[in-house]
Amino acid sequence: MVYTYLGPTSFFFFFNTSSLTSTIYSSSSSSSSSSSSMASFHSPNRHRRCYSNPNLPTDLHPALLVFSGGTAFNGVVEDLKNFTTRVAHVLPVSDDGGSTAEIVRVLGGPAVGDIRSRCLRLSDQSTAEALAVRNLLGHRLPFDPLQAKSEWYSIVEGDHFLWEGVSKPYRETIRAFLVYFQNQILRRSEESFCFSNGSIGNFFFAGARIFFQSLDAAIFLFSRVSDIPPESLVLPVISTNDRLTLGCELWDGTVIRGQNEISHPTSGTMEPVNKESFAAPPLPSKIKRVLYMSSEGEKLLHEVFPSPNAAVLEQLNSVDCIVYAMGSLFTSVCPSLVLLGIGEIISSRSCLKVLMLNGTHDRETNGFLASSFVTAITDALNRTYGDPSNRLNNPPSQYINTLLVPRNSAIPVDVDCLAAQGIFDVIVVDSLCDTKVGIIYDPKSLIRALADLIDRT
C-alpha cells in the first residue's frame, strides 16, 4: 500500500464557531485547640445551581479551573457539564503509557493521551452524527499487531464501518489528518510503528499537532471536530512541541524516569496499563518531589524547568473556583503545580480552592493521611524541594480551603492535622464502590457538593 497524500492542505471545518451528605467536620479558626467538633451545614439554596439553566447566559455560570489527569476525573465530567460548562481543564503532557508512548517514541512531541481523553468526554452526544464522530475518535484498535494494522488501513482508507453516519465535511476533515499521521510514520521508515491497541483519537491528534506544529492548534481543531462547548477549555499545562519526561525523586535519593514507571510500571511499551488499586509493586521510598526531564540538546535526560501555558495563568487569575481533582496525586495533579507562576497566582486568590481527596490509596500515596495530600500539594506549589531561588513559603491554607472526602474513604481524615494546616472545612460526599479501583465519588453527589460550596461562598 502506497500513500502519496502529503498533508491536509485543504479540508472542511465545522467551526460553529439525598446525594450529598451535609456533614462537615469543622473547627473554629479562632480556637487555640486542635480538637474538632461536628456540625451540620444546610444551604438555603441547596442544589439551586446543580443543573445549568439553558436560558441563563453562559457567562453567569460559575467558572472553574480543574487540575487533573485523564482518568479519574473523567467519570464526573458529564455531570459537571450539567452544572456549568465554564471549566478550564488543565492537564499534564507527560503521559507515556500505551498508545501515547508509541506515538512519542516514533514521532516525538508531547504526550496527548490525557488531553484526547478529556476532549472526548466533553464532546457532543446530542445527534447521531455527533455520536458517530465520538465513536470513531474514541475507538481503539485490537491488541493483536496484525489485526490492528489491518483495521487501521481500513479506517485510514475510509471504508471502515466506523465512518457510517459521519457526513462528508467531517469525514474529509478527520481522514485528512489520519492520512497525514500515516504519512509521517512512513517517512520514518527506520522506526517500525506498532498499532496495537492504538487510539484513533490519538492518531488524529498527533497528525494535527505535527501538521500545525502547535499543540494548541491541534486541541482547537479536535475541540471543534468533536463539538466541545466553546466555553469549555482543555489546556495543556505546558504548551510545547517538545517531548518532556516526568520524573520523581524519592526520599531515599532514587530518581524514577517516566510517568508510567512512577505510577503503573509495565514490562513492555504496548502492554495495557493496569490502573487497578495496588496493581503495581510499592515504591522503595515515598515520593519527595516530581520534576520535568528532557534529552533535548543532550544525550542523557536532565532536569528542565518549562514555563506554564500562558492560558492557564490567565484562567487562574479569573475563575471562581480552583479544584485539585482526585486521581494520581504525583503524576496527574502535581506536574501542573510545580511550574513557575502557578503557586504565586493561586496563593494570591481569595476564591474557593477545593481538594477532592481520593477514596483509595495507590502506589504513589500508600500510607498517606488526608493531611499528607495537603502537604504534597503545598510542597509542589511552593516548589519546596526544587530550585532554592524559586521557592515559596506559603501555608497550606493559601492553596486549599475546602476538602471533599468520599464516604468510606480508605484514606484517614486526620481532622486535627488538617486544622493545624488551616483547613477547617471537610465535607463528606456519597460514594460508590468500584470493583477495580475501590471507593470513588458518586458523580452526581460530588457535583452537587461543589455547587453547594459555590453557592455558599
Side-chain angles (χ1 to χ4, degrees):
M1 185 176 303
V2 178
Y3 289 88
T4 59
Y5 191 84
L6 296 180
T9 55
S10 62
F11 42 79
F12 294 91
F13 286 86
F14 266 17
F15 281 14
N16 298 332
T17 40
S18 191
S19 299
L20 167 65
T21 301
S22 58
T23 302
I24 302 179
Y25 300 104
S26 64
S27 177
S28 172
S29 59
S30 61
S31 172
S32 60
S33 171
S34 62
S35 62
S36 303
S37 60
M38 295 185 67
S40 295
F41 161 61
H42 301 283
S43 169
N45 298 311
R46 187 171 178 184
H47 302 177
R48 176 170 59 85
R49 292 195 294 180
C50 287
Y51 298 95
S52 297
N53 183 344
N55 298 318
L56 192 67
T58 301
D59 58 3
L60 294 182
H61 293 165
L64 281 62
L65 183 143
V66 179
F67 291 109
S68 70
T71 303
F73 194 75
N74 277 348
V76 303
V77 167
E78 294 294 336
D79 289 279
L80 179 60
K81 286 194 295 185
N82 292 330
F83 169 47
T84 179
T85 53
R86 292 182 64 201
V87 182
H89 300 264
V90 178
L91 297 153
V93 290
S94 49
D95 178 27
D96 59 358
S99 172
T100 302
E102 187 67 358
I103 294 173
V104 172
R105 182 184 70 84
V106 176
L107 300 179
V112 298
D114 286 348
I115 294 172
R116 181 267 312 161
S117 178
R118 186 59 49 83
C119 284
L120 279 176
R121 289 286 181 156
L122 292 168
S123 62
D124 182 40
Q125 303 180 65
S126 62
T127 67
E129 179 167 40
L131 285 173
V133 170
R134 179 169 171 150
N135 288 337
L136 172 66
L137 296 177
H139 182 70
R140 281 194 177 273
L141 301 174
F143 281 102
D144 180 80
L146 292 179
Q147 293 179 8
K149 192 172 187 178
S150 175
E151 184 173 359
W152 164 247
Y153 284 154
S154 176
I155 292 173
V156 80
E157 289 174 343
D159 56 11
H160 195 279
F161 72 87
L162 283 169
W163 291 110
E164 295 176 8
V166 180
S167 65
K168 184 177 179 180
Y170 274 114
R171 176 189 291 256
E172 293 188 358
T173 300
I174 296 170
R175 184 165 173 258
F177 287 98
L178 295 180
V179 172
Y180 189 75
F181 172 78
Q182 173 69 10
N183 178 263
Q184 294 301 302
I185 292 173
L186 294 176
R187 291 178 62 183
R188 292 161 174 80
S189 57
E190 70 281 1
E191 298 285 354
S192 177
F193 189 89
C194 180
F195 290 97
S196 176
N197 197 37
S199 163
I200 302 304
N202 280 356
F203 297 164
F204 173 80
F205 215 119
R209 183 195 63 77
I210 296 171
F211 176 76
F212 291 117
Q213 287 298 296
S214 167
L215 180 58
D216 293 324
I219 294 172
F220 179 78
L221 173 65
F222 198 110
S223 299
R224 293 302 177 264
V225 167
S226 56
D227 202 13
I228 293 174
E231 64 276 8
S232 295
L233 304 177
V234 178
L235 301 175
V237 70
I238 302 168
S239 181
T240 180
N241 278 318
D242 295 331
R243 176 180 181 177
L244 290 173
T245 299
L246 188 70
C248 78
E249 180 185 357
L250 306 185
W251 279 102
D252 66 1
T254 302
V255 175
I256 301 178
R257 298 165 177 83
Q259 177 175 317
N260 247 40
E261 283 302 305
I262 299 170
S263 59
H264 306 96
T266 59
S267 58
T269 303
M270 297 306 295
E271 181 179 334
V273 177
N274 186 350
K275 295 190 176 182
E276 295 183 15
S277 180
F278 287 116
L283 289 165
S285 176
K286 292 186 183 299
I287 296 175
K288 182 179 182 180
R289 66 172 181 130
V290 295
L291 60 149
Y292 285 97
M293 311 182 82
S294 174
S295 57
E296 297 290 332
E298 296 188 19
K299 294 182 179 180
L300 299 176
L301 280 173
H302 58 286
E303 184 172 3
V304 292
F305 305 92
S307 299
N309 187 346
V312 173
L313 301 181
E314 180 182 353
Q315 289 296 314
L316 276 175
N317 271 311
S318 62
V319 294
D320 303 310
C321 175
I322 297 169
V323 175
Y324 310 96
M326 61 286 193
S328 300
L329 175 62
F330 288 102
T331 54
S332 290
V333 177
C334 287
S336 296
L337 307 183
V338 298
L339 302 174
L340 191 66
I342 302 291
E344 285 84 344
I345 295 178
I346 295 178
S347 62
S348 70
R349 296 293 314 281
S350 59
C351 64
L352 185 64
K353 305 167 189 177
V354 180
L355 168 59
M356 296 176 175
L357 189 69
N358 291 346
T360 309
H361 288 108
D362 59 22
R363 187 174 192 244
E364 300 175 16
T365 58
N366 186 21
F368 271 36
L369 307 175
S371 63
S372 308
F373 280 76
V374 173
T375 297
I377 288 174
T378 302
D379 286 344
L381 288 164
N382 278 339
R383 301 181 291 275
T384 303
Y385 303 109
D387 185 344
S389 63
N390 289 328
R391 289 178 186 171
L392 303 176
N393 194 34
N394 295 315
S397 58
Q398 283 190 243
Y399 296 126
I400 301 169
N401 48 41
T402 301
L403 191 68
L404 296 183
V405 181
R407 185 191 295 278
N408 301 320
S409 172
I411 297 170
V413 180
D414 48 336
V415 181
D416 290 350
C417 289
L418 291 170
Q421 292 174 320
I423 300 170
F424 306 96
D425 207 6
V426 181
I427 304 175
V428 178
V429 179
D430 280 352
S431 64
L432 304 171
C433 184
D434 185 287
T435 55
K436 292 185 177 180
V437 298
I439 299 297
I440 61 173
Y441 288 96
D442 173 72
K444 288 182 171 55
S445 298
L446 180 60
I447 301 309
R448 286 170 180 163
L450 199 58
D452 277 344
L453 283 169
I454 293 173
D455 280 345
R456 177 175 136 203
T457 50

